[in-house]
Structures are given as structure tokens and as C-alpha cells.
Amino acid sequence: MSNILIINSGSSSLKFKLINMPGEKVLASGVVERIGLKESLIFYESGSIYVSKKTNIPNHSSGLKEATRLLMDYHTGVIKNQDDIAAIGHRVVHGGDLFYDTCLVDKKVKEQIKNLFSLAPLHNPPNLTGIEVAEEIFPNTRQIAVFDTAFHKTIPLKARKYAIPNKFFEEHKIELYGFHGISHKYVSQQAIEYINKPNSKIISIHLGNGCSMTAVKNGESIDHSLGFGPNNGLIMGTRSGDIDQSVIFFLIDKLGYSSQEANQILNKQSGMLGLTGNSDLRDIEDRAYEGDESCKLALEMNAYRIKKYIGAYAAIMNGLDAIIFTAGIGENSSKIRELVCKDMEFAGIELDNDVNEMGSDEIREINKPESKVKILVIPTNEELEIAKQCYQFIQ
Ligand code: ADP
């Protein structure tokens, strides 16, 4: 039995979870928020113990020290000392074409993660910070990096390459890398077990603040809606998703925006926010319910885009066994699921509207019994997937 500490380090937050493997038992979890800002917050949970406090956390190092203190504290703790942690698993968003597998962190790996900063400027720097502070606090513990892009390594060239001059692929590595791979891998494996069919054709739909879809054939990612960067495919909270690139040139050349401003518009001011003024789907659903036309249209547009990708992915797989809804919106919004699955009988997708309305924290099937395609709601669990990969790695 081994305890794996999972760290997901963001620019101003550090999430952690201690999982006992292989039993998959969560011993404790928590998050340090507003790192480096006035009034940082720390939440910690272990069994029936809850800690929630405002404190001063100037940097990630103090954040992890505080988390470690709680994990080992006489009253709140679950372990005695650092030796009770077998390995620390770090979520790293971008592995580029350097990392296709989980790996042990050493000096070279850190250097390579740094070299990938330009591909994931918002994520890889804080991910590396998480690794560095964990090394500082746990100098004798194995640090393992798990990459979000790794699951998509199986996407074939015909889907991975963009139809631009080859030199951009060969010399500059401009290609589809994909994101949310840890989540897509976790839920698609859950689905394969659930439907008990290893050679299956599955579409995994991850709808959180960022949204993406993956075509998973025989357990492998074969296409994915995000690409070189995190703004392709679906309509997201603040990101446009698919857009005719002429719009970008029009913004810059005709309307006088700088490239940074255009980037900001498409990534931070678009998507559901640009369409409605709200980025949180709960607010948009409430306003739509009260009759707001812009919110009603935004929900229709959101679902329409997902529907188009379902059609495309069913076509490239020559069939479909199951679709999965996961993450904040996928797991909770019966409205989006209903709009997506409406009028899809031709593809064998038939939603049971009553079951769709029922909530649960467990994997659940929301299709009609006669539906050829299973419609599954599967809570994602990226930390558990990282713990599984780390545990496998250290065996
Ligand atoms: P992140 O990508 O940051 O991990 P989440 O997976 O937590 O995001 O998803 C956040 C999104 O989930 C938000 O748009 C939020 O409105 C939506 N969401 C959460 N709960 C519900 C709910 N009950 N109904 C509809 N949408 C929800």
C-alpha cells in the first residue's frame, strides 16, 4: 500500500489530495487559494474534519508547507511524517512532443517542462513551481510528472497535422497536442469498464470552464477538439472555440486591435461570456429560464457545436457505443445534455428525459433502454487518474 500525494499547482492556487493506493482511498484533500494575494484561503478535508481559514500565504512554497502541516498535524493529520508518502504526482498541462508518458522528475525533465512554457504560458510555469516547491519540502520523495497532453499521443497524423506548409510542423512543431487528457483518459476507461467492451467507440465530452471532446477508439484518443492551443472546438466559458480565422485578421487589420488584444478577446471575453455577459453556466441557465433571449440562444449554440462534433467523431470511428458527459457542466447541467441529445435518434442516441434530471455522484446511464448508444454521466477524477499512473509507475 502506498500513499500518493497529488499536486495540481495553478498560478494562484495549489490543490492537493492524498490517496492511498491501490485501494483508491482519499485520506485528505484541500486547496490553497489566492496565493500571493491579500487574505489567502486554505480549505482542508479529511474524513469528518474540515478546516477552512483565511491566512497569509505569500507563495506556493508556504502554501505547500501549510498543506503538509495539516496532513501531519496531531488533530487534522493522516500521516506521521514524510516517509508515509511514497510519491508525489504532479499534473503538468503540456508535455509537447517531449513527454508521452508519466515520468520521474529530474533536472532534465524540469528543463524540458520549462522549454514548453511558450506552448502553455498560463499552465506550465505554475506546474513547474509546484514541482520545485515539492522538491524543496520533500527532498527524499519521488516526484512524478503526469501530462495532460500524453493521452492524445495516439492521434494519427491525418488528424494531428494542420494543412499549412510542412515546415511549420517539422521545424516549429505546430500540431494538435490536445488538453484535458487526464480527464478524458479516466472517464473513457470508466466507460469501457461500464459497458464492458474494450474495443469500443466512445466520445468523451468534458464540459468545464474549458471544454473539449475526444474520440476514443479501443481505449485510445484518435481525435480531439482542442489543438495547438486551448481555444479550438467547443464554445467555452470565455473562449470562442472554432472560429473562421479571417475574423482574427479583421480584428487586427481593420479594427486596429493588437494581436495581444485579439488574443485576449477570443480567450477571455468570448464564449458564453461574450454571448451573454456571464461565463458561469448556472447564471446563464437561470437567466434563460427567466426568458432572457441571449442566454437561450447561447445555450442552443453551445449544444449545437457539441452535436456537430458528435456527428464528426461518430463518422471517423464508423460507429458509436457511448457518449460521456463529464466535468462541472457535463455532470450537472441536464439542460445542456438535453439540448445536445435532442433529435439524435438517427445516430442511435436516445435520452431518457426523466433519468437525465436525476443527480448522482456515481457513474450513471441516462439513455432510454432501447437507445443503441449509451449516454453516460461520469464524474471526472483527475487526481485519481494521476494517482493510478503514479502507483503503476512506482511498482
Ligand atoms: P474547471 O474547468 O475550472 O475545472 P469545472 O469542471 O468545475 O471547471 O466546471 C465549471 C463549470 O461548471 C461552470 O460553468 C459552472 O457553471 C458549471 N456548473 C457547475 N455546477 C453546475 C450546475 N449544477 N448546473 C449547471 N452548471 C454547473
Side-chain angles (χ1 to χ4, degrees), residues 15 91 180 206-211 237 239 279-285 326-334 336 380 382:
K15 291 186 195 150
R91 179 188 187 192
H180 298 143
H206 176 109
L207 305 175
N209 283 313
C211 301
R239 295 176 235 162
S279 65
D280 194 301
L281 199 85
R282 284 166 287 205
D283 299 329
I284 297 166
E285 286 188 347
T326 192
I329 296 170
E331 290 165 33
N332 295 299
S333 173
S334 55
I336 286 287
T380 195
E382 286 157 307

Side-chain angles (χ1 to χ4, degrees), residues 16-156:
F16 59 94
K17 204 174 244 188
L18 187 67
I19 304 182
N20 185 262
M21 296 297 287
E24 304 183 0
K25 184 172 170 16
V26 177
L27 302 178
S29 65
V31 58
V32 189
E33 286 177 348
R34 298 175 53 86
I35 294 174
L37 302 172
K38 249 195 267 164
E39 292 209 329
S40 313
L41 300 165
I42 180 154
F43 300 100
Y44 174 86
E45 186 180 346
S46 170
S48 57
I49 296 166
Y50 293 90
V51 176
S52 159
K53 63 175 181 177
K54 285 185 186 156
T55 172
N56 181 29
I57 307 274
N59 51 42
H60 286 70
S61 174
S62 348
L64 186 57
K65 276 185 190 140
E66 182 61 18
T68 310
R69 196 189 62 69
L70 286 162
L71 287 170
M72 294 178 192
D73 181 81
Y74 178 74
H75 298 289
T76 59
V78 283
I79 51 172
K80 284 204 188 80
N81 55 47
Q82 297 201 353
D83 294 340
D84 291 338
I85 296 177
I88 302 183
H90 297 270
R91 179 188 187 192
V92 182
V93 163
H94 218 305
D97 65 346
L98 300 173
F99 299 104
Y100 289 135
D101 280 311
T102 297
C103 71
L104 197 65
V105 174
D106 60 16
K107 208 168 158 213
K108 184 163 171 227
V109 167
K110 284 188 285 179
E111 204 51 49
Q112 287 171 318
I113 293 174
K114 208 177 218 171
N115 290 340
L116 294 166
F117 277 6
S118 60
L119 290 179
L122 298 179
H123 294 101
N124 271 30
N127 295 161
L128 183 61
T129 304
I131 292 174
E132 287 170 342
V133 300
E135 283 180 329
E136 172 199 324
I137 298 168
F138 296 87
N140 302 317
T141 311
R142 281 169 287 193
Q143 312 284 334
I144 295 169
V146 179
F147 297 89
D148 242 324
T149 43
F151 183 53
H152 301 300
K153 72 177 177 201
T154 42
I155 295 178

